[in-house]
């Protein structure tokens, strides 16, 4: 009886040890398969698009966390400081200017979509209808100035000085302005929809993300809109040491996939355009 009890006790201990060992192995295996990354993004449409690819990334072993920012200042600071793993809110000219001003080295990991900047007016139905000395309200986001100038140039309202790179142009680069349009550019980007709704200025230039967020339709309500051939496509930005990060590569691949690009086209009805 004593031997039987001893053998029985040993069997129970061995079984328990085996179960604990198996349990530990399973937990380790599970954690090794999942990688968590945090991506900073503007609320609309960036965070929405990221949320769309979350289920697909989960299948790929990537736990995507989204941190929403309400401005264009903090996302790059957070990325450079290591608080997030990537961000998705800006175009390349903006990134280049930020790097130059802040001695940064953030890089482009891939283009996803274009938010066509548009001109809105409650007073005129066509950009060419603007009268002499009309006031055009523009945000203080200087990397967008080339986009604004291109719209007015294409409408035949201004010309640009020869030899000027339009992606880094500003209002001092206007060569001719027959109607003497007054470009006022001292407003926060997120305030532009409210300025338009309050009937401020003769025309208001609004980024598509803030237009959509403010309940506006850039395609149907604007008097002029940026062409899809624009070089201002929105990108995923990362630190240089993350360029071989497999989880981020999976993120970019999911965002650039045909299914996601088709979803962007359908979801935003032209207010946001696929990059590919």
């Amino acid at each position: 009886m004593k031997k039987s009890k001893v053998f029985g006790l040993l069997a129970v201990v061995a079984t328990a040890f085996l179960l604990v060992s198996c349990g530990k192995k399973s937990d380790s295996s599970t954690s090794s398969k999942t990688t968590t990354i945090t991506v900073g993004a503007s609320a609309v449409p960036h965070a929405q698009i990221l949320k769309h690819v979350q289920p697909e990334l989960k299948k790929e072993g990537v736990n995507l966390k989204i941190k929403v920012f309400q401005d264009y200042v903090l996302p790059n600071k957070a990325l450079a400081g290591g608080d997030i793993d990537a961000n998705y809110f800006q175009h390349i000219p903006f990134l280049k200017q930020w790097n130059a001003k802040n001695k940064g080295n953030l890089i482009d990991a891939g283009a996803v979509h274009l938010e066509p900047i548009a001109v809105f007016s409650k007073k005129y139905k066509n950009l060419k209808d603007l009268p002499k000395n009309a006031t055009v309200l523009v945000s203080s986001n200087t990397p967008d100035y080339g986009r604004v100038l291109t719209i007015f140039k294409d409408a035949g309202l201004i010309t640009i000085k020869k030899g000027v790179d339009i992606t880094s142009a500003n209002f001092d680069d206007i060569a001719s302005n027959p109607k003497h349009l007054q470009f006022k550019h001292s407003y926060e980007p997120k305030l532009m929809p409210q300025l338009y709704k309050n009937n401020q200025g003769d025309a208001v230039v609004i980024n598509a993300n803030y237009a959509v967020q403010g309940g506006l339709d850039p395609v149907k309500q604007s008097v002029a809109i940026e062409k899809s051939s624009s070089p201002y496509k929105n990108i995923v930005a990362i630190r240089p040491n993350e360029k071989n990060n497999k989880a981020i590569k999976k993120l970019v691949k999911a965002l650039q996939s045909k299914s996601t690009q088709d979803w962007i086209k359908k979801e935003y009805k032209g207010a946001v355009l696929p990059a590919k």
Side-chain angles (χ1 to χ4, degrees):
M1 288 296 292
K2 287 183 180 181
K3 285 184 178 182
S4 176
K5 287 182 180 180
V6 170
F7 284 130
L9 180 61
L10 289 174
V12 170
V13 171
T15 301
F17 178 80
L18 182 61
L19 288 172
V20 170
S21 298
C22 289
K24 286 183 178 179
K25 185 176 180 181
S26 176
D27 290 342
S28 175
S29 176
T30 301
S31 62
S32 67
K33 288 182 180 180
T34 302
T35 302
T36 297
I37 57 172
T38 302
V39 179
S42 297
V44 179
H46 307 79
Q48 295 172 334
I49 297 172
L50 288 173
K51 189 173 181 180
H52 174 74
V53 300
Q54 271 182 323
E56 180 183 345
L57 288 171
K58 188 174 182 180
K59 294 177 183 177
E60 294 286 329
V62 178
N63 177 31
L64 173 61
K65 291 188 176 181
I66 304 166
K67 184 173 182 178
V68 176
F69 291 89
Q70 299 297 338
D71 61 33
Y72 292 161
V73 178
L74 296 177
N76 278 339
K77 286 185 177 180
L79 178 57
D83 297 328
I84 55 178
D85 301 297
N87 68 38
Y88 172 38
F89 79 101
Q90 65 193 319
H91 48 62
I92 291 177
F94 184 97
L95 177 63
K96 286 182 177 179
Q97 187 180 88
W98 189 90
N99 278 335
K101 283 188 175 181
N102 298 276
K103 296 181 180 180
N105 62 348
L106 303 180
I107 61 174
D108 165 25
V112 182
H113 75 269
L114 170 70
E115 296 170 24
I117 201 166
V119 184
F120 293 77
S121 177
K122 285 184 175 291
K123 301 174 182 177
Y124 305 99
K125 293 183 179 181
N126 191 293
L127 197 60
K128 293 182 179 181
D129 294 335
L130 289 177
K132 286 187 176 181
N133 300 307
T135 301
V136 181
L137 307 185
V138 183
S139 84
S140 58
N141 189 41
T142 56
D144 281 337
Y145 291 170
R147 308 172 75 182
V148 178
L149 292 170
T150 298
I151 292 175
F152 282 82
K153 177 179 71 69
D154 290 347
L157 296 176
I158 63 170
T159 62
I160 307 299
K161 294 175 182 177
K162 291 183 179 180
V164 172
D165 178 2
I166 198 66
T167 62
S168 58
N170 58 54
F171 297 102
D172 292 331
D173 295 315
I174 297 175
S176 64
N177 182 3
K179 288 191 174 184
H180 303 288
L181 301 176
Q182 306 297 310
F183 293 95
K184 295 187 176 182
H185 42 89
S186 58
Y187 310 93
E188 286 188 51
K190 64 183 178 182
L191 297 179
M192 303 313 289
Q194 197 58 46
L195 292 175
Y196 165 71
K197 291 177 181 179
N198 290 341
N199 204 23
Q200 300 293 305
D202 295 297
V204 182
V205 184
I206 310 177
N207 291 81
N209 61 318
Y210 286 120
V212 173
Q213 197 169 339
L216 302 175
D217 186 328
V219 176
K220 294 180 179 179
Q221 293 178 263
S222 68
V223 295
I225 192 167
E226 187 176 20
K227 295 178 180 178
S228 60
S229 57
S230 167
Y232 292 84
K233 294 179 175 64
N234 279 222
I235 62 168
V236 173
I238 58 173
R239 295 183 296 277
N241 63 334
E242 297 288 356
K243 63 183 179 180
N244 293 319
N245 185 313
K246 291 182 179 179
I248 291 176
K249 284 185 175 182
K250 289 178 180 179
L251 167 67
V252 174
K253 184 178 179 181
L255 291 170
Q256 293 180 337
S257 69
K258 186 178 184 304
S259 62
T260 300
Q261 295 284 295
D262 287 345
W263 179 84
I264 290 173
K265 187 175 181 180
K266 182 180 179 181
E267 181 73 12
Y268 297 103
K269 299 177 177 63
V272 179
L273 301 172
K276 294 182 177 293

